[in-house]
Amino acid sequence: MKITVFNGSPSGTDSATNKIASAFLLGAQNAGADTHNIFLSEKNIAQCGGCFACWFKTPGKCVHNDDMAELLNLYCTSDIVIFATPVYTWNMTALMKNFVDRLAPLKSPKITEKSDSYDLKDTKPKTQKFIVISNCGFPGEKNFEIMKAVFACCEPSLEIYRNCGKLLKSLDPSVVQVVGKYLEAVRQAGFETAQGLNVSEETKRGLDMPLMSVSEYVKYLGM
């Protein structure tokens, strides 16, 4: 099984998002998966110009000659694609949005409809499953509502949303202990996923575990 993370955090390898994604991939590796961790901040990806050449002039091929060609191949050949991004102003980062926009060559200028929802037809059926990983520096569960709505379009098989995300990089021993327990649940989710299993309810409870109360977290942030 081939699992690829596309990480849209500007902080790259040092991001809190990568703390979660790396734990998931480690669990998947332990189950024998072929894993790839791609940091979009390190890639040369031009912005989509909306010229639609990838539909009408050179079907499936973008006018931009950059790193996206390689990433599209990796995206299409993966069994599981993971979109990993922190919350920036209610939604995904600009890096992730730019990457998603550049998936346009995989679409065609044909409209499809499902339950009164309209989209463009894929040039070929999707074979991969999708997972979303996101963290937010704020407490509370409402911070991911827009993210959930956006990624609902790809019908993710698993969504990992982590509030109080600043704690993921904390050096406080008591916090490190709690975060370690959480990341163990993330690793288990990766292991179960790579084995072709549905993530267990017990593991999901671990993914949703509180890291700190809201009042404690606000005090921790000094805000």
Side-chain angles (χ1 to χ4, degrees):
M1 178 178 285
K2 185 174 178 179
I3 302 177
T4 301
V5 169
F6 293 100
N7 187 327
S9 173
S11 298
T13 57
D14 191 44
S15 64
T17 301
N18 188 44
K19 289 278 187 181
I20 307 172
S22 293
F24 188 94
L25 291 181
L26 179 58
Q29 290 165 12
N30 291 338
D34 173 23
T35 65
H36 302 263
N37 200 0
I38 305 300
F39 299 97
L40 299 179
S41 60
E42 299 175 357
K43 301 298 180 179
N44 174 30
I45 306 175
Q47 292 181 335
C48 175
C51 67
F52 306 120
C54 61
W55 295 351
F56 300 109
K57 292 183 179 180
T58 54
K61 181 176 174 59
C62 183
V63 296
H64 294 301
N65 183 23
D66 56 17
D67 291 338
M68 197 63 196
E70 173 192 353
L71 299 184
L72 274 176
N73 181 64
L74 188 56
Y75 176 95
C76 291
T77 57
S78 295
D79 298 295
I80 295 176
V81 167
I82 301 177
F83 297 107
T85 174
V87 175
Y88 271 31
T89 316
W90 314 299
N91 204 341
M92 68 181 76
T93 63
L95 283 169
M96 179 59 74
K97 183 61 169 66
N98 189 44
F99 172 75
V100 172
D101 285 346
R102 288 291 304 279
L103 297 177
L106 304 180
K107 294 287 187 178
S108 65
K110 297 179 181 179
I111 293 178
T112 62
E113 183 270 336
K114 181 179 179 182
S115 301
D116 205 30
S117 179
Y118 294 85
D119 199 352
L120 294 171
K121 185 177 181 180
D122 296 321
T123 54
K124 56 184 178 180
K126 290 187 178 75
T127 58
Q128 66 271 72
K129 292 183 179 180
F130 298 93
I131 290 174
V132 178
I133 291 176
S134 184
N135 85 94
C136 182
F138 288 110
E141 302 298 330
K142 298 282 188 178
N143 302 298
F144 302 101
E145 296 306 304
I146 293 177
M147 195 83 72
K148 290 177 182 179
V150 170
F151 282 113
C153 300
C154 68
E155 300 179 339
S157 58
L158 178 66
E159 296 170 274
I160 301 176
Y161 296 114
R162 179 70 271 165
N163 58 12
C164 301
K166 293 289 186 181
L167 298 177
L168 293 171
K169 297 171 65 176
S170 174
L171 299 179
D172 183 300
S174 61
V175 175
V176 169
Q177 185 175 8
V178 175
V179 169
K181 184 178 179 181
Y182 165 70
L183 293 178
E184 180 53 42
V186 177
R187 283 190 289 271
Q188 182 61 27
F191 184 86
E192 292 172 7
T193 297
Q195 287 197 318
L197 304 173
N198 291 324
V199 175
S200 69
E201 292 303 315
E202 180 181 358
T203 300
K204 287 181 179 178
R205 285 193 292 272
L207 296 177
D208 292 334
M209 67 174 284
L211 301 183
M212 187 177 282
S213 71
V214 172
S215 59
E216 289 176 318
Y217 185 63
V218 172
K219 183 179 179 180
Y220 173 86
L221 292 177
M223 299 173 72

